[in-house]
Amino acid sequence: MKNAKQIFTTLLTLGALSLLTACGSSNQVAGSTDSSSRTPVQDIGSANSKALAYCNQGSANGLTGKLKVFVDSSKYVRMEYVYLRLTALPESFKTGGSYISLWKWLANPSGYTNLDTSALNFALMNPSTGQYLTGWKTTLKWSEVVNVASSMGYTDPQNFFNNVNILVDLKDQNGEYDVLKVANYDASTNKAINTMDALLPLFAANPADYANDNGATRAGVLQALHPFKGKAGQFSTSQYQSMANNFCF
């Protein structure tokens, strides 16, 4: 008989497969030759010179998350990590009825979307001190950090998450994956009830530049996630980059 841990792992795997279907792994994006939409750079100065967005925001289904590139102590941009800050949370998470896991997916050269079925490791950090507030995790419930939040003076889940960073280990040093998926699961059934997708920085801040994938058309599913997709042609490239900087935290 499987023990509780084995059953939970199995349910998470099944949840990942359901997310894979929702993400559209079997739906071809016509005309796409997309590879990676991320642009590795050595430092933020290089990102600025290339007009790249190094911060982003995604919002859907009661979830809002801001993303920021990870810069190490030597000032190098590290593509295998990203910072996440959850600025809007579903009520079910706040009341303890659900938990959160993080995933990554890409649109491959043949036009399919593919979800990595291994949940990402992440840890909560105090941005003021750089102190880790948790160990590495693949799931997160409010009850698991309520005592830490209380020690920092927070009793409301949203206030706490507005003021802590989530360091995500993407295991993607070359920046091959395009999107971070935040998924909220029912704590009783382990089924996904809310999901939110956001482009992983670094990517072209100008949506017109982003749509051009080395002379080909980038996958439409990725273009649709660009934060300024509805404002194409309305601003200069430098203005788009300044707008992306407003997502930083």
Side-chain angles (χ1 to χ4, degrees):
M1 180 179 294
K2 293 182 178 180
N3 60 31
K5 182 176 180 181
Q6 288 174 315
I7 294 172
F8 184 64
T9 301
T10 301
L11 288 170
L12 280 181
T13 301
L14 292 174
L17 293 175
S18 68
L19 282 176
L20 177 60
T21 303
C23 191
S25 61
S26 59
N27 297 326
Q28 188 166 5
V29 183
S32 172
T33 57
D34 181 82
S35 50
S36 175
S37 61
R38 301 175 75 197
T39 305
V41 298
Q42 187 176 51
D43 52 39
I44 294 299
S46 299
N48 284 326
S49 67
K50 294 182 178 182
L52 301 177
Y54 46 86
C55 294
N56 189 24
Q57 178 174 282
S59 185
N61 304 314
L63 281 163
T64 300
K66 293 183 176 182
L67 282 72
K68 182 174 67 173
V69 296
F70 177 83
V71 180
D72 66 19
S73 58
S74 298
K75 308 300 182 184
Y76 289 116
V77 172
R78 300 276 297 277
M79 298 293 282
E80 67 264 42
Y81 299 104
V82 70
Y83 282 121
L84 169 68
R85 181 169 290 185
L86 295 173
T87 57
L89 292 163
E91 285 302 317
S92 60
F93 179 85
K94 297 177 185 178
T95 58
S98 64
Y99 62 90
I100 284 173
S101 287
L102 306 178
W103 310 82
K104 62 184 178 185
W105 61 270
L106 54 77
N108 69 16
S110 61
Y112 292 88
T113 57
N114 292 283
L115 179 78
D116 184 344
T117 56
S118 296
L120 296 171
N121 288 301
F122 60 88
L124 272 63
M125 299 180 68
N126 184 333
S128 299
T129 64
Q131 178 185 4
Y132 282 91
L133 302 175
T134 67
W136 291 102
K137 309 171 68 67
T138 56
T139 64
L140 178 66
K141 288 183 177 180
W142 168 237
S143 60
E144 296 171 345
V145 291
V146 64
N147 290 335
V148 171
S150 178
S151 70
M152 294 174 63
Y154 299 109
T155 56
D156 177 71
Q158 190 61 72
N159 287 341
F160 174 67
F161 281 94
N162 282 344
N163 290 280
V164 298
N165 292 344
I166 301 174
L167 179 63
V168 186
D169 184 359
L170 298 169
K171 298 188 184 301
D172 185 26
Q173 186 173 357
N174 296 322
E176 296 176 353
Y177 280 80
D178 303 300
V179 179
L180 179 73
K181 178 182 287 290
V182 181
N184 185 45
Y185 292 86
D186 184 279
S188 299
T189 65
N190 295 301
K191 292 182 178 179
I193 52 177
N194 308 80
T195 63
M196 183 275 291
D197 295 314
L199 292 179
L200 286 161
L202 301 145
F203 57 87
N206 187 326
D209 293 337
Y210 184 77
N212 181 1
D213 180 24
N214 295 317
T217 301
R218 191 173 302 284
V221 68
L222 295 179
Q223 291 190 53
L225 290 175
H226 196 284
F228 311 125
K229 64 183 183 298
K231 300 177 180 179
Q234 299 180 23
F235 302 95
S236 68
T237 295
S238 61
Q239 287 175 316
Y240 283 119
Q241 189 177 47
S242 295
M243 291 159 61
N245 290 348
N246 291 331
F247 298 136
C248 293
F249 50 90

